[in-house]
Coordinates of all heavy atoms in Angstrom, one line a residue:
M1 N 206.4 240.9 102.7 CA 207.5 240.3 101.9 C 207.1 239.9 100.5 O 207.8 240.0 99.7 CB 208.1 239.2 102.7 CG 209.1 238.5 102.0 SD 210.5 238.4 103.1 CE 211.5 237.1 102.5
S2 N 205.9 239.3 100.4 CA 205.5 238.9 99.0 C 205.3 240.0 98.2 O 205.4 239.9 96.9 CB 204.2 237.9 99.1 OG 203.2 238.7 99.5
D3 N 205.0 241.3 98.7 CA 204.8 242.4 97.9 C 206.2 242.9 97.1 O 206.1 243.5 96.2 CB 204.2 243.6 98.6 CG 202.7 243.4 98.9 OD1 202.1 242.6 98.2 OD2 202.1 244.1 99.7
M4 N 207.2 242.5 97.8 CA 208.5 243.0 97.2 C 209.0 242.1 96.1 O 209.9 242.5 95.4 CB 209.5 243.1 98.4 CG 210.1 241.7 98.9 SD 211.2 241.9 100.2 CE 212.8 241.5 99.3
L5 N 208.3 241.0 95.9 CA 208.7 240.1 94.7 C 208.5 240.9 93.4 O 209.4 240.8 92.5 CB 207.9 238.8 94.7 CG 208.3 237.9 95.7 CD1 207.4 236.6 95.6 CD2 209.8 237.3 95.6
I6 N 207.4 241.6 93.3 CA 207.2 242.4 92.1 C 208.3 243.4 91.9 O 208.6 243.8 90.8 CB 205.7 243.0 92.1 CG1 205.4 243.5 90.7 CG2 205.7 244.2 93.0 CD1 205.2 242.4 89.7
D7 N 208.8 243.9 92.9 CA 210.0 244.9 92.9 C 211.2 244.3 92.2 O 211.8 245.0 91.5 CB 210.3 245.4 94.2 CG 209.1 246.3 94.8 OD1 208.4 246.9 94.0 OD2 209.2 246.4 96.0
Y8 N 211.4 243.0 92.4 CA 212.5 242.3 91.7 C 212.3 242.2 90.2 O 213.2 242.5 89.4 CB 212.6 240.9 92.2 CG 213.5 240.8 93.6 CD1 212.8 240.6 94.7 CD2 214.9 240.9 93.6 CE1 213.6 240.7 95.9 CE2 215.6 240.9 94.6 CZ 214.9 240.8 95.9 OH 215.6 240.7 97.1
Y9 N 211.0 242.0 89.7 CA 210.7 241.8 88.4 C 210.9 243.3 87.7 O 211.4 243.5 86.7 CB 209.3 241.4 88.2 CG 209.0 240.0 88.4 CD1 208.5 239.5 89.7 CD2 209.5 239.0 87.4 CE1 208.5 238.1 89.9 CE2 209.3 237.6 87.7 CZ 208.7 237.2 88.8 OH 208.6 235.9 89.1
K10 N 210.5 244.3 88.5 CA 210.6 245.6 88.0 C 212.1 246.1 87.9 O 212.5 246.7 86.9 CB 210.0 246.7 89.0 CG 208.5 246.6 88.9 CD 207.8 247.5 89.9 CE 206.3 247.4 89.8 NZ 205.6 248.3 91.0
A11 N 212.8 245.6 88.9 CA 214.3 245.9 88.7 C 215.1 245.2 87.7 O 215.9 245.8 87.0 CB 215.1 245.6 90.2
I12 N 214.7 244.0 87.4 CA 215.1 243.2 86.3 C 214.7 243.7 85.0 O 215.7 244.0 84.1 CB 214.7 241.7 86.4 CG1 215.2 241.1 87.5 CG2 215.0 240.9 85.0 CD1 214.6 239.6 87.9
E13 N 213.6 244.3 84.8 CA 213.1 245.2 83.6 C 213.9 246.3 83.5 O 214.3 246.6 82.3 CB 211.6 245.4 83.7 CG 211.2 246.0 82.5 CD 209.8 246.7 82.7 OE1 209.2 246.7 83.7 OE2 209.3 247.1 81.6
D14 N 214.2 246.9 84.5 CA 214.9 248.2 84.4 C 216.5 247.9 83.9 O 216.9 248.6 83.0 CB 215.1 248.9 85.9 CG 215.7 250.1 85.8 OD1 215.3 251.2 85.0 OD2 216.8 250.3 86.5
S15 N 217.0 246.9 84.6 CA 218.4 246.5 84.0 C 218.3 246.0 82.6 O 219.3 246.4 81.8 CB 219.0 245.4 84.9 OG 219.4 245.8 86.1
S16 N 217.3 245.3 82.2 CA 217.1 244.9 80.8 C 216.9 246.0 79.9 O 217.5 246.1 78.9 CB 215.8 244.0 80.7 OG 215.4 243.8 79.4
R17 N 216.2 247.1 80.3 CA 216.1 248.3 79.5 C 217.4 249.0 79.4 O 217.8 249.4 78.2 CB 215.1 249.2 80.2 CG 214.8 250.5 79.4 CD 213.9 251.5 80.2 NE 214.2 251.7 81.5 CZ 215.3 252.4 82.0 NH1 215.9 253.1 81.1 NH2 215.4 252.5 83.2
K18 N 218.2 249.0 80.4 CA 219.6 249.7 80.4 C 220.4 248.9 79.5 O 221.2 249.4 78.8 CB 220.2 249.8 81.8 CG 219.4 250.9 82.6 CD 219.9 251.0 84.1 CE 219.1 252.0 84.8 NZ 219.6 252.0 86.3
M19 N 220.3 247.4 79.6 CA 221.1 246.6 78.6 C 220.9 247.0 77.2 O 221.7 247.1 76.3 CB 220.7 245.2 78.8 CG 221.5 244.5 80.0 SD 221.0 242.8 80.2 CE 221.4 242.1 78.6
L20 N 219.5 247.2 76.9 CA 219.1 247.6 75.5 C 219.7 248.9 75.1 O 220.2 249.1 74.0 CB 217.6 247.7 75.3 CG 217.0 248.0 74.1 CD1 217.6 247.2 72.9 CD2 215.5 248.0 74.1
E21 N 219.6 249.9 76.0 CA 220.2 251.2 75.8 C 221.6 251.1 75.5 O 222.2 251.7 74.5 CB 219.8 252.2 76.9 CG 218.4 252.5 77.1 CD 218.0 253.3 78.3 OE1 218.8 253.5 79.1 OE2 216.8 253.6 78.4
A22 N 222.3 250.4 76.2 CA 223.8 250.2 76.1 C 224.0 249.5 74.8 O 225.0 249.9 74.0 CB 224.4 249.4 77.2
A23 N 223.3 248.6 74.4 CA 223.5 247.8 73.0 C 223.3 248.8 71.9 O 223.9 248.8 70.8 CB 222.6 246.6 73.0
Q24 N 222.2 249.7 72.0 CA 221.9 250.6 71.0 C 223.0 251.6 70.9 O 223.3 252.0 69.8 CB 220.6 251.4 71.3 CG 219.4 250.4 71.2 CD 218.1 251.1 71.8 OE1 218.1 251.8 72.7 NE2 217.0 250.7 71.2
A25 N 223.9 251.9 72.0 CA 224.9 252.9 71.9 C 226.2 252.0 71.5 O 227.2 252.6 71.6 CB 225.0 253.5 73.3
K26 N 226.2 250.7 71.3 CA 227.3 249.9 71.0 C 228.3 250.0 72.2 O 229.5 249.8 72.1 CB 227.9 250.3 69.7 CG 227.1 250.1 68.5 CD 227.7 250.4 67.2 CE 227.0 250.3 65.9 NZ 225.6 249.9 65.9
D27 N 227.7 250.1 73.4 CA 228.5 249.9 74.6 C 228.3 248.6 75.2 O 227.6 248.2 76.1 CB 228.0 251.0 75.6 CG 228.6 250.9 77.0 OD1 229.6 250.2 77.1 OD2 228.1 251.6 77.9
W28 N 229.3 247.7 74.5 CA 229.1 246.2 74.9 C 229.6 246.0 76.3 O 229.1 245.0 77.0 CB 229.9 245.4 73.9 CG 229.4 245.7 72.5 CD1 230.0 246.3 71.4 CD2 228.0 245.4 72.0 NE1 229.1 246.5 70.4 CE2 227.9 245.9 70.7 CE3 226.9 244.8 72.6 CZ2 226.7 245.9 70.0 CZ3 225.8 244.8 71.8 CH2 225.7 245.3 70.6
D29 N 230.5 246.9 76.8 CA 230.9 246.6 78.3 C 229.7 246.9 79.2 O 229.5 246.1 80.2 CB 232.1 247.5 78.7 CG 233.4 247.2 78.0 OD1 233.5 245.9 77.7 OD2 234.2 247.9 77.8
G30 N 228.9 247.9 78.9 CA 227.7 248.3 79.6 C 226.7 247.2 79.5 O 226.0 246.8 80.4
V31 N 226.5 246.6 78.3 CA 225.6 245.5 78.2 C 225.9 244.3 79.2 O 225.1 243.9 80.0 CB 225.6 244.8 76.8 CG1 224.9 243.6 76.7 CG2 225.1 245.9 75.8
V32 N 227.3 244.0 79.1 CA 227.8 243.0 80.2 C 227.6 243.3 81.7 O 227.1 242.6 82.4 CB 229.2 242.6 79.8 CG1 229.9 241.8 81.0 CG2 229.5 242.1 78.5
R33 N 227.8 244.6 81.9 CA 227.7 245.0 83.3 C 226.1 244.9 83.7 O 225.9 244.4 84.8 CB 228.1 246.5 83.4 CG 228.1 247.1 84.7 CD 228.7 248.4 84.8 NE 228.2 249.5 83.9 CZ 228.9 249.9 82.8 NH1 230.1 249.4 82.5 NH2 228.3 250.7 82.0
Y34 N 225.2 245.4 82.8 CA 223.7 245.3 83.2 C 223.3 243.8 83.1 O 222.4 243.5 83.9 CB 222.9 246.1 82.3 CG 223.1 247.6 82.5 CD1 223.6 248.4 81.6 CD2 223.0 248.2 83.8 CE1 223.9 249.9 81.7 CE2 223.1 249.5 84.0 CZ 223.7 250.4 83.0 OH 223.9 251.6 83.3
E35 N 223.9 243.1 82.2 CA 223.6 241.6 82.3 C 223.9 240.9 83.5 O 223.2 240.2 84.1 CB 224.3 240.9 81.1 CG 224.0 239.5 80.9 CD 224.7 238.8 79.9 OE1 225.8 239.2 79.5 OE2 224.1 237.9 79.2
G36 N 225.0 241.3 84.2 CA 225.5 240.9 85.4 C 224.5 241.2 86.5 O 224.2 240.4 87.4
A37 N 224.0 242.5 86.5 CA 223.1 243.0 87.5 C 221.9 242.1 87.3 O 221.3 241.8 88.4 CB 222.8 244.5 87.3
C38 N 221.4 242.0 86.1 CA 220.2 241.1 86.0 C 220.4 239.7 86.5 O 219.5 239.2 87.2 CB 219.9 241.0 84.5 SG 219.0 242.3 83.7
A39 N 221.5 239.1 86.4 CA 221.8 237.7 86.9 C 221.7 237.7 88.4 O 221.2 236.8 89.0 CB 223.1 237.3 86.4
V40 N 222.2 238.7 89.0 CA 222.2 238.9 90.5 C 220.6 239.0 91.0 O 220.3 238.3 91.9 CB 223.0 240.0 91.0 CG1 222.8 240.2 92.5 CG2 224.6 239.7 90.8
L41 N 220.0 239.9 90.3 CA 218.5 240.0 90.6 C 217.7 238.7 90.4 O 216.9 238.4 91.3 CB 218.0 241.2 89.9 CG 218.5 242.6 90.1 CD1 218.2 243.6 89.2 CD2 218.0 243.0 91.6
I42 N 218.1 238.1 89.3 CA 217.3 236.8 89.1 C 217.6 235.8 90.2 O 216.6 235.1 90.6 CB 217.6 236.3 87.7 CG1 217.1 237.3 86.6 CG2 217.2 234.9 87.5 CD1 217.6 236.9 85.3
E43 N 218.8 235.7 90.6 CA 219.1 234.8 91.7 C 218.5 235.2 92.9 O 218.0 234.3 93.7 CB 220.7 234.7 91.8 CG 221.3 233.7 91.0 CD 220.7 232.2 91.0 OE1 220.6 231.7 92.3 OE2 220.3 231.8 90.0
E44 N 218.4 236.5 93.3 CA 217.8 236.9 94.5 C 216.3 236.6 94.4 O 215.7 236.2 95.4 CB 218.0 238.5 94.7 CG 219.5 238.8 95.1 CD 219.7 240.2 95.2 OE1 218.7 241.0 95.1 OE2 220.9 240.6 95.5
L45 N 215.7 236.9 93.3 CA 214.3 236.6 93.0 C 214.1 235.1 93.2 O 213.0 234.7 93.9 CB 213.8 237.0 91.7 CG 212.4 236.7 91.3 CD1 211.4 237.3 92.2 CD2 212.1 237.1 89.8
R46 N 214.8 234.3 92.6 CA 214.7 232.9 92.9 C 214.7 232.4 94.3 O 213.8 231.6 94.7 CB 215.8 232.1 92.0 CG 215.5 230.8 91.7 CD 216.7 230.1 90.8 NE 216.3 230.5 89.4 CZ 217.2 230.9 88.5 NH1 218.5 230.9 88.7 NH2 216.8 231.3 87.3
F47 N 215.6 233.0 95.0 CA 215.7 232.7 96.4 C 214.5 233.1 97.2 O 213.9 232.4 98.0 CB 216.9 233.3 97.0 CG 217.1 233.1 98.5 CD1 217.5 231.9 99.0 CD2 217.0 234.1 99.3 CE1 217.8 231.7 100.3 CE2 217.1 233.9 100.7 CZ 217.4 232.7 101.3
K48 N 214.1 234.5 97.0 CA 213.0 235.0 97.6 C 211.7 234.3 97.3 O 210.8 234.2 98.2 CB 212.9 236.5 97.5 CG 214.1 237.4 98.0 CD 214.1 237.4 99.3 CE 215.2 238.4 99.9 NZ 215.4 238.4 101.2
S49 N 211.5 233.9 96.1 CA 210.3 233.3 95.7 C 210.1 231.9 96.2 O 209.0 231.3 96.2 CB 210.2 233.1 94.1 OG 211.1 232.4 93.6
Q50 N 211.1 231.3 96.9 CA 211.0 230.0 97.6 C 210.4 230.3 98.9 O 209.7 229.5 99.6 CB 212.3 229.4 97.8 CG 212.9 228.9 96.4 CD 214.3 228.2 96.5 OE1 214.9 228.3 97.6 NE2 214.8 227.7 95.4
E51 N 210.5 231.5 99.5 CA 210.0 231.8 100.8 C 208.5 232.4 100.8 O 207.8 232.2 101.7 CB 210.8 232.9 101.5 CG 212.3 232.5 101.7 CD 213.1 233.7 102.1 OE1 212.6 234.8 102.3 OE2 214.4 233.5 102.4
C52 N 208.1 232.9 99.7 CA 206.8 233.6 99.5 C 206.4 233.6 98.0 O 207.2 233.4 97.1 CB 206.7 234.9 100.2 SG 207.9 236.0 99.4
E53 N 205.1 233.7 97.9 CA 204.5 233.7 96.6 C 204.0 235.0 96.1 O 203.7 235.9 97.0 CB 203.1 232.7 96.7 CG 203.0 231.8 95.5 CD 201.8 231.0 95.7 OE1 200.7 231.4 95.3 OE2 202.0 229.9 96.2
L54 N 204.1 235.3 94.8 CA 203.7 236.6 94.3 C 202.2 236.5 94.4 O 201.4 235.6 94.1 CB 204.0 236.6 92.7 CG 203.8 237.9 92.1 CD1 204.8 238.9 92.5 CD2 204.0 237.8 90.6
P55 N 201.7 237.7 94.9 CA 200.2 237.9 95.2 C 199.5 237.8 93.9 O 200.0 238.3 92.8 CB 200.0 239.2 95.9 CG 201.4 239.5 96.5 CD 202.5 238.8 95.5
P56 N 198.3 237.4 93.9 CA 197.5 237.2 92.6 C 197.3 238.6 91.9 O 197.3 238.7 90.7 CB 196.1 236.7 93.1 CG 196.4 236.0 94.4 CD 197.5 236.8 95.0
E57 N 197.2 239.7 92.7 CA 197.1 241.0 92.1 C 198.4 241.5 91.3 O 198.2 242.5 90.6 CB 196.6 242.1 93.2 CG 197.7 242.3 94.3 CD 197.5 241.4 95.5 OE1 196.8 240.4 95.5 OE2 198.0 241.8 96.6
H58 N 199.5 240.8 91.5 CA 200.7 241.2 90.8 C 201.0 240.3 89.7 O 201.9 240.6 88.9 CB 201.9 241.1 91.7 CG 201.9 242.2 92.8 ND1 202.6 242.3 94.0 CD2 201.3 243.5 92.9 CE1 202.5 243.5 94.6 NE2 201.4 244.1 93.9
R59 N 200.1 239.2 89.5 CA 200.5 238.3 88.5 C 200.4 238.8 87.0 O 201.2 238.5 86.2 CB 199.8 237.0 88.7 CG 200.2 236.3 89.8 CD 199.6 234.9 90.1 NE 200.0 234.4 91.3 CZ 199.3 233.6 92.1 NH1 198.0 233.2 91.7 NH2 199.8 233.2 93.2
K60 N 199.4 239.6 86.8 CA 199.2 240.3 85.5 C 200.2 241.3 85.2 O 200.9 241.2 84.1 CB 197.9 240.9 85.4 CG 197.6 241.5 84.0 CD 196.1 242.1 83.9 CE 196.0 242.5 82.5 NZ 194.8 243.2 82.3
E61 N 200.7 242.0 86.2 CA 201.8 243.0 86.1 C 203.1 242.2 85.8 O 203.8 242.6 84.9 CB 201.9 243.8 87.3 CG 203.0 244.8 87.2 CD 203.1 245.7 88.4 OE1 202.4 245.4 89.5 OE2 203.9 246.8 88.4
K62 N 203.2 241.1 86.5 CA 204.5 240.3 86.2 C 204.5 239.8 84.7 O 205.5 239.8 84.0 CB 204.4 239.1 87.1 CG 205.6 238.1 86.7 CD 205.4 236.7 87.4 CE 206.2 235.7 86.7 NZ 205.9 234.3 87.2
T63 N 203.3 239.4 84.2 CA 203.3 239.0 82.8 C 203.7 240.0 81.8 O 204.4 239.9 80.8 CB 201.9 238.3 82.5 OG1 201.6 237.3 83.3 CG2 201.8 237.9 81.0
V64 N 203.2 241.2 82.1 CA 203.5 242.4 81.3 C 204.9 242.7 81.3 O 205.6 243.0 80.3 CB 202.6 243.7 81.6 CG1 203.0 244.8 80.9 CG2 201.0 243.3 81.3
I65 N 205.4 242.7 82.5 CA 206.9 243.0 82.8 C 207.7 241.9 82.0 O 208.7 242.4 81.3 CB 207.3 243.0 84.2 CG1 206.7 244.3 84.8 CG2 208.9 242.9 84.5 CD1 206.8 244.3 86.4
M66 N 207.4 240.7 82.1 CA 208.2 239.6 81.4 C 208.1 239.8 79.9 O 209.2 239.6 79.3 CB 207.6 238.2 81.8 CG 207.8 237.9 83.3 SD 209.6 237.9 83.8 CE 210.3 236.5 82.8
Q67 N 207.0 240.2 79.4 CA 206.9 240.4 77.9 C 207.9 241.6 77.5 O 208.5 241.5 76.5 CB 205.4 240.7 77.6 CG 204.4 239.5 77.7 CD 203.1 239.9 77.5 OE1 202.6 241.0 77.6 NE2 202.2 238.9 77.2
R68 N 207.9 242.6 78.3 CA 208.8 243.7 77.9 C 210.2 243.2 78.1 O 211.1 243.6 77.1 CB 208.5 244.9 78.8 CG 207.3 245.6 78.4 CD 207.2 247.0 79.1 NE 207.1 246.9 80.6 CZ 205.9 247.2 81.4 NH1 204.9 247.6 80.8 NH2 206.1 247.1 82.7
I69 N 210.5 242.4 79.0 CA 211.9 242.0 79.1 C 212.3 241.2 77.8 O 213.4 241.2 77.3 CB 212.2 241.0 80.5 CG1 212.1 242.1 81.7 CG2 213.4 240.3 80.6 CD1 212.0 241.3 83.0
L70 N 211.4 240.2 77.5 CA 211.6 239.4 76.3 C 211.8 240.2 75.1 O 212.6 239.9 74.2 CB 210.5 238.3 76.2 CG 210.5 237.3 77.2 CD1 209.2 236.5 77.1 CD2 211.8 236.4 77.2
R71 N 211.0 241.4 74.9 CA 211.2 242.2 73.7 C 212.6 242.8 73.8 O 213.2 242.9 72.8 CB 210.0 243.2 73.8 CG 208.8 242.7 73.0 CD 207.9 243.8 72.7 NE 207.3 244.6 73.9 CZ 206.4 244.3 74.6 NH1 205.6 243.2 74.3 NH2 206.0 245.0 75.7
N72 N 213.0 243.3 75.1 CA 214.2 243.9 75.2 C 215.3 243.0 74.7 O 216.3 243.3 74.0 CB 214.5 244.4 76.6 CG 213.7 245.6 77.0 OD1 213.1 246.3 76.0 ND2 213.5 245.9 78.3
D73 N 215.3 241.7 75.2 CA 216.1 240.7 75.0 C 216.3 240.5 73.4 O 217.4 240.2 73.0 CB 215.9 239.4 75.7 CG 216.9 238.4 75.5 OD1 218.0 238.6 75.9 OD2 216.7 237.3 75.0
A74 N 215.1 240.4 72.8 CA 215.2 240.1 71.3 C 215.9 241.2 70.7 O 216.7 241.0 69.7 CB 213.7 239.8 70.8
Q75 N 215.6 242.5 71.0 CA 216.3 243.6 70.4 C 217.8 243.7 70.6 O 218.5 243.9 69.7 CB 215.6 244.9 70.8 CG 214.2 245.1 70.3 CD 213.6 246.4 70.9 OE1 213.9 246.9 71.9 NE2 212.6 247.0 70.0
I76 N 218.2 243.3 71.9 CA 219.6 243.1 72.1 C 220.2 242.2 71.3 O 221.3 242.4 70.7 CB 219.7 242.9 73.6 CG1 219.4 244.0 74.6 CG2 221.2 242.6 73.9 CD1 219.1 243.7 75.9
R77 N 219.6 241.0 71.2 CA 220.3 240.0 70.3 C 220.4 240.3 68.8 O 221.5 240.1 68.3 CB 219.4 238.7 70.4 CG 219.5 238.0 71.7 CD 218.5 236.9 71.8 NE 218.5 236.2 73.1 CZ 219.3 235.5 73.6 NH1 220.3 234.9 73.0 NH2 219.2 235.0 74.8
C78 N 219.4 241.1 68.3 CA 219.5 241.7 67.0 C 220.6 242.6 66.9 O 221.4 242.7 65.8 CB 218.2 242.3 66.6 SG 216.9 241.2 66.2
L79 N 220.7 243.4 67.8 CA 221.9 244.4 67.8 C 223.2 243.8 68.1 O 224.2 244.3 67.5 CB 221.7 245.5 68.9 CG 220.5 246.5 68.7 CD1 220.1 247.2 69.9 CD2 220.8 247.4 67.5
A80 N 223.3 242.7 68.8 CA 224.5 242.0 69.0 C 225.0 241.2 68.0 O 226.2 241.0 67.8 CB 224.5 241.2 70.5
E81 N 224.1 240.6 67.2 CA 224.5 239.8 66.1 C 225.7 240.3 65.1 O 226.6 239.6 65.0 CB 223.2 239.3 65.3 CG 222.6 238.2 66.0 CD 221.2 237.7 65.3 OE1 221.2 238.1 64.0 OE2 220.5 237.1 65.8
P82 N 225.5 241.5 64.6 CA 226.7 242.0 63.8 C 227.9 242.2 64.5 O 229.0 241.9 64.1 CB 226.2 243.5 63.4 CG 224.6 243.3 63.6 CD 224.3 242.4 64.6
W83 N 227.8 242.6 65.8 CA 229.0 242.7 66.7 C 229.6 241.3 66.8 O 230.8 241.1 66.8 CB 228.6 243.4 68.0 CG 229.9 243.4 68.9 CD1 230.8 244.3 68.9 CD2 230.0 242.5 70.1 NE1 231.7 244.1 70.0 CE2 231.2 243.0 70.7 CE3 229.3 241.5 70.7 CZ2 231.8 242.2 71.8 CZ3 229.9 240.8 71.7 CH2 231.1 241.2 72.3
L84 N 228.9 240.2 67.1 CA 229.3 238.9 67.3 C 229.9 238.4 66.1 O 231.0 237.7 66.2 CB 228.2 237.9 67.9 CG 227.8 238.2 69.2 CD1 226.6 237.4 69.6 CD2 228.9 238.0 70.3
A85 N 229.3 238.6 64.9 CA 229.9 238.2 63.6 C 231.3 238.8 63.4 O 232.1 238.1 62.9 CB 229.0 238.6 62.6
Q86 N 231.4 240.2 63.7 CA 232.6 240.9 63.5 C 233.8 240.2 64.5 O 234.8 240.0 64.1 CB 232.4 242.3 63.8 CG 233.7 243.1 63.7 CD 233.5 244.6 64.0 OE1 232.5 244.9 64.5 NE2 234.5 245.4 63.7
F87 N 233.3 239.9 65.8 CA 234.2 239.3 66.8 C 234.7 237.9 66.3 O 235.8 237.8 66.3 CB 233.4 239.3 68.0 CG 234.3 238.8 69.1 CD1 235.3 239.6 69.8 CD2 234.1 237.5 69.7 CE1 235.9 239.2 70.8 CE2 234.9 237.1 70.8 CZ 235.8 237.9 71.3
E88 N 233.7 237.1 65.8 CA 234.1 235.8 65.2 C 235.1 236.0 64.1 O 235.9 235.2 63.9 CB 232.8 235.1 64.9 CG 232.0 234.6 66.1 CD 230.8 233.8 65.8 OE1 230.4 233.8 64.5 OE2 230.0 233.5 66.7
H89 N 234.8 236.9 63.2 CA 235.6 237.0 62.0 C 237.1 237.5 62.3 O 238.0 237.0 61.6 CB 235.0 238.2 61.1 CG 235.8 238.5 59.9 ND1 235.9 237.6 58.8 CD2 236.6 239.5 59.5 CE1 236.6 238.1 57.9 NE2 237.0 239.3 58.2
M90 N 237.2 238.1 63.5 CA 238.6 238.4 64.1 C 239.4 237.2 64.3 O 240.6 237.3 64.1 CB 238.5 239.3 65.2 CG 237.9 240.7 65.0 SD 237.7 241.6 66.5 CE 239.1 241.2 67.6
F91 N 238.7 236.1 64.7 CA 239.5 235.0 65.0 C 239.5 233.8 64.0 O 240.0 232.7 64.2 CB 238.8 234.4 66.3 CG 239.1 235.2 67.5 CD1 238.0 236.0 67.9 CD2 240.3 235.2 68.1 CE1 238.4 236.8 68.9 CE2 240.7 236.1 69.2 CZ 239.6 236.9 69.7
E92 N 239.0 234.2 62.8 CA 239.0 233.2 61.6 C 240.4 233.0 61.3 O 241.3 233.9 61.2 CB 238.2 233.8 60.4 CG 236.8 233.6 60.6 CD 236.0 234.2 59.4 OE1 236.6 234.7 58.5 OE2 234.7 234.1 59.3
G93 N 240.8 231.7 61.0 CA 242.2 231.4 60.7 C 243.1 231.2 61.9 O 244.3 230.8 61.7
Q94 N 242.6 231.6 63.1 CA 243.4 231.4 64.2 C 243.3 230.1 64.7 O 242.3 229.4 64.7 CB 242.9 232.3 65.4 CG 243.0 233.8 65.1 CD 244.4 234.2 65.0 OE1 245.2 233.9 65.8 NE2 244.7 235.3 64.1
P95 N 244.4 229.4 65.1 CA 244.3 228.0 65.7 C 243.4 227.9 66.9 O 243.5 228.8 67.8 CB 245.8 227.6 66.1 CG 246.5 229.0 66.1 CD 245.7 230.0 65.3
Q96 N 242.6 226.9 66.9 CA 241.7 226.7 68.1 C 242.5 226.0 69.3 O 243.2 225.1 69.1 CB 240.5 225.7 67.7 CG 239.6 226.4 66.6 CD 238.9 227.6 67.1 OE1 238.5 227.5 68.2 NE2 238.8 228.6 66.3
M97 N 242.3 226.6 70.5 CA 243.1 226.0 71.6 C 242.0 225.4 72.4 O 240.9 226.0 72.6 CB 243.7 227.2 72.4 CG 244.9 227.7 71.6 SD 245.7 229.0 72.6 CE 246.3 228.2 73.9
M98 N 242.4 224.3 72.9 CA 241.5 223.5 73.8 C 242.2 223.4 75.1 O 243.4 223.1 75.2 CB 241.2 222.2 73.3 CG 240.4 222.3 72.0 SD 239.4 220.9 71.4 CE 238.5 220.4 72.8
H99 N 241.6 223.6 76.2 CA 242.0 223.5 77.6 C 241.6 222.3 78.3 O 240.5 221.9 78.2 CB 241.8 224.8 78.4 CG 242.4 226.0 77.8 ND1 243.7 226.3 78.1 CD2 241.9 226.9 76.9 CE1 244.0 227.4 77.4 NE2 242.9 227.9 76.8

């Protein structure tokens, strides 16, 4: 069971890579879809990691995977900033509604 924890990290990395590819293609719906998949995987990992520990032989691999995920995330944010700025610009001058 503890061997499968690394598989969650790999799956999260895969979704992160797909998010980046979607952002590069300006497929923001795809980014949101893969972000949702990442969120589900992260929750599952959080639950499973309470039951067992990542074996020492997988810890270095986990670190490398996490670094790649963080790089993907940084690139996604850079790609999303112009889109977010454009989105915010669309609502300039619109009355703010509070619920």
